[in-house]
Amino acid sequence: MFTNDRRQEERTGKYGSPRLQYLQELVSQFQNSTDEETKEKIAANLANFAYDPYNYKFLRQLNVLELFLDCMTEPNERLVEFGVGGICNSCVDLANAAIVTQSGGIPLTIQCLSSPVRNTVNYALGALYYLCNASNKEEILKPEVVDIINRYAAAEAVSVSFSNLAKAFLDKHVRASGA
């Protein structure tokens, strides 16, 4: 459910932590942790906060989008999954999408299309759907990327979600533009 200031105040109560403070604590815990499982849990938690527009300004302020991108460069597949999940959840917002694009997120997201983890592929397809625009479509709509997405679109027997996301991407960015 999306949040607003009034609802957040009701949920937090008189003695609860304000959202910005809570997110800052999560980021600090992530940065200070050396335990992979702890980092995975925190990255998953942050990715869950990334779907709500109420949190977008906090995520930008705390550089959480960059943290997600850093997760996508890790050898730990769970961190990659939660990193691209956070990007997918947050890049519906144009300001977030711009940060992701300017911070090198497009190649990282494209790499996730070949992940062995289904959720990672789903998140990558969703993220590319929202990231692709007139200013970066040449980077995203490279023949090899469109080929991979076409294969996912045709793979309905393997994964309906891959197929549906890929078809939506192709309908919006390839077929509609004639690319």
Side-chain angles (χ1 to χ4, degrees):
M1 177 172 204
F2 296 134
T3 305
N4 57 42
D5 288 330
R6 193 181 106 252
R7 178 161 162 63
Q8 183 58 32
E9 192 175 310
E10 290 170 358
R11 292 183 70 210
T12 319
K14 188 175 179 180
Y15 302 105
S17 296
R19 181 63 54 93
L20 177 60
Q21 180 184 340
Y22 180 73
L23 291 172
Q24 176 62 67
E25 289 168 8
L26 286 176
V27 169
S28 296
Q29 288 172 13
F30 182 90
Q31 292 170 333
N32 294 326
S33 179
T34 56
D35 180 66
E36 288 290 306
E37 189 175 333
T38 300
K39 289 183 117 167
E40 291 169 6
K41 288 177 182 176
I42 295 168
N45 200 348
L46 288 168
N48 284 335
F49 279 103
Y51 83 91
D52 190 340
Y54 180 81
N55 298 317
Y56 291 165
K57 67 182 176 190
F58 304 135
L59 298 176
R60 289 191 294 268
Q61 185 177 342
L62 298 171
N63 297 318
V64 174
L65 300 171
E66 291 85 347
L67 183 147
F68 290 146
L69 294 173
D70 287 343
C71 286
M72 292 166 65
T73 66
E74 293 291 325
N76 179 329
E77 287 289 346
R78 303 266 299 153
L79 286 177
V80 174
E81 174 187 349
F82 300 135
V84 73
I87 294 299
C88 180
N89 288 348
S90 61
C91 70
V92 173
D93 178 74
L94 295 177
N96 290 343
I99 290 169
V100 169
T101 301
Q102 293 161 4
S103 300
I106 290 174
L108 293 173
T109 305
I110 289 170
Q111 284 179 344
C112 290
L113 291 174
S114 58
S115 172
V117 179
R118 284 181 179 241
N119 283 342
T120 299
V121 174
N122 276 329
Y123 295 142
L125 287 166
L128 289 171
Y129 178 90
Y130 289 109
L131 289 171
C132 190
N133 61 42
S135 68
N136 62 30
K137 71 179 182 179
E138 287 183 19
E139 184 178 5
I140 294 175
L141 298 180
K142 292 177 183 172
E144 60 273 19
V145 177
V146 173
D147 181 56
I148 291 169
I149 295 173
N150 271 315
R151 283 189 268 143
Y152 282 129
E156 194 170 313
V158 176
S159 172
V160 173
S161 63
F162 287 180
S163 179
N164 288 344
L165 284 164
K167 287 175 184 175
F169 177 91
L170 294 168
D171 287 347
K172 181 175 182 183
H173 299 296
V174 177
R175 296 179 183 128
S177 67

